[in-house]
Amino acid sequence: MPRVVGTMLPPEVKSAFDGNDLESQMGLGYVVVTVDEDGSPRSSMLSAGEILALDDVTLRLALWPDTNTGRNLADRGSFLLCYVGRGVVCYVRGTAHKLHHKGQMEVEAFEIEVISTEDDQHPGLPTNKTITFDCVGIEEATLLKEWRARLSWLRDPEA
């Protein structure tokens, strides 16, 4: 059963989304859960190229425009990130606020204020894998370049 461990991003989560060493994040997917209009949960998968940890209590997201996830975050603000790594399962709960920007990126941007983090490790049953994806039809170098541009922009979307 998950247990609340604090109100700040754990070091593993902060490090995974600090925008550095994106090569090590290539192929890793992270589940985000929002709430639909009818109250049902909606999951989506994001990559490290779409999530940026600004500090211990703030994440920023860059989503494709006109998605259910973006609508849910804008309308209800409830956010849950499921981070799974080797030996680590962490849930980050937060509240989303839409970022208004000058439109240099074709994305919807959100800032997430971390409310709580939960640890869901089970003694004797450590996780050893997470969701992964392959690059098909796009070179990893091209994707990394796009990620770097998006994360750089997320640091200062008003620039």
Side-chain angles (χ1 to χ4, degrees):
M1 178 162 77
R3 63 182 178 88
V4 175
V5 293
T7 58
M8 297 190 314
L9 295 172
E12 302 92 339
V13 176
K14 186 177 176 188
S15 176
F17 302 121
D18 66 5
N20 299 317
D21 192 24
L22 289 174
E23 292 81 3
S24 70
Q25 295 289 328
M26 181 58 65
L28 301 179
Y30 304 96
V31 175
V32 168
V33 180
T34 60
V35 179
D36 279 344
E37 186 175 341
D38 66 0
S40 61
R42 173 168 303 273
S43 60
S44 62
M45 188 175 75
L46 300 180
S47 68
E50 298 163 295
I51 306 170
L52 178 67
L54 286 182
D55 54 40
D56 291 333
V57 295
T58 312
L59 294 170
R60 284 194 176 160
L61 308 178
L63 305 177
W64 294 107
D66 301 318
T67 63
N68 289 319
T69 299
R71 274 189 293 286
N72 289 344
L73 290 174
D75 293 347
R76 282 163 289 288
S78 294
F79 171 86
L80 174 69
L81 168 70
C82 179
Y83 176 87
V84 178
R86 186 175 275 302
V88 178
V89 178
C90 177
Y91 306 115
V92 177
R93 295 182 187 279
T95 302
H97 306 280
K98 190 166 186 168
L99 292 174
H100 299 283
H101 57 85
K102 295 181 179 177
Q104 289 133 334
M105 283 276 170
E106 300 257 344
V107 298
E108 285 188 284
F110 293 87
E111 187 164 287
I112 309 296
E113 176 187 347
V114 175
I115 295 171
S116 70
T117 57
E118 299 174 4
D119 180 352
D120 197 11
Q121 296 183 53
H122 298 275
L125 301 170
T127 55
N128 59 19
K129 294 184 181 179
T130 189
I131 296 171
T132 60
F133 62 87
D134 292 321
C135 290
V136 178
I138 185 170
E139 295 291 322
E140 284 188 15
T142 301
L143 185 57
L144 284 168
K145 184 178 177 181
E146 290 175 9
W147 283 6
R148 285 188 180 96
R150 189 176 303 120
L151 295 177
S152 176
W153 175 83
L154 270 178
R155 289 185 199 286
D156 187 10
E158 291 298 316

